[in-house]
Amino acid sequence: DLHLLSRRQRQMCIRDSNEVFEIAVRMYPDDPVSNLNAANAALMRRDAEAAHRYLQKAMEGPQKELAKETLKELEKQLKERK
């Protein structure tokens, strides 16, 4: 269970998952699920440009809408930092 893992172990699991998502989207660049997962991984890295690119090919649905809202908030935060 993830709740039993240390913070460092959780971070490593997240990093490994993100790497898998990046590999999947490179292997299947037009796959809507791979693009949604890669978009979410990009959002976790605070990479708005990559998230936007992946969301263009992501599958439609509530997960995509949530990711789009998260991207808007991230872009707002990044703009405020400048």
Side-chain angles (χ1 to χ4, degrees), residues 1 9-13 20 27-28 30 39 41 45 47 54-55 58-60 62 64 73 75-76 80-82:
D1 282 330
Q9 289 171 319
R10 284 191 304 270
Q11 289 172 336
M12 289 173 53
C13 287
V20 169
M27 291 179 67
Y28 306 102
D30 295 319
R45 293 191 314 272
D47 184 346
Y54 293 133
L55 281 172
M59 67 180 211
E60 296 297 328
K64 181 178 180 176
E73 184 62 31
E75 290 173 333
K76 180 180 167 186
E80 289 173 356
R81 284 188 170 179
K82 290 184 179 183

Side-chain angles (χ1 to χ4, degrees), residues 22 34-44 47 50-52 54-55 58 67:
E22 290 294 327
S34 294
N35 277 280
L36 180 61
N37 289 335
N40 285 320
L43 289 168
M44 291 179 72
D47 184 346
H52 180 75
Y54 293 133
L55 281 172

Side-chain angles (χ1 to χ4, degrees), residues 6-70:
S6 72
R7 181 178 179 180
R8 179 160 168 68
Q9 289 171 319
R10 284 191 304 270
Q11 289 172 336
M12 289 173 53
C13 287
I14 291 168
R15 187 195 69 222
D16 292 346
S17 296
N18 289 343
E19 286 178 26
V20 169
F21 297 146
E22 290 294 327
I23 291 168
V25 82
R26 282 194 305 266
M27 291 179 67
Y28 306 102
D30 295 319
D31 180 69
V33 175
S34 294
N35 277 280
L36 180 61
N37 289 335
N40 285 320
L43 289 168
M44 291 179 72
R45 293 191 314 272
R46 302 181 59 80
D47 184 346
E49 184 179 324
H52 180 75
R53 187 175 63 247
Y54 293 133
L55 281 172
Q56 290 177 342
K57 295 183 176 181
M59 67 180 211
E60 296 297 328
Q63 297 88 350
K64 181 178 180 176
E65 294 307 312
L66 179 59
K68 287 168 65 175
E69 290 300 318
T70 303

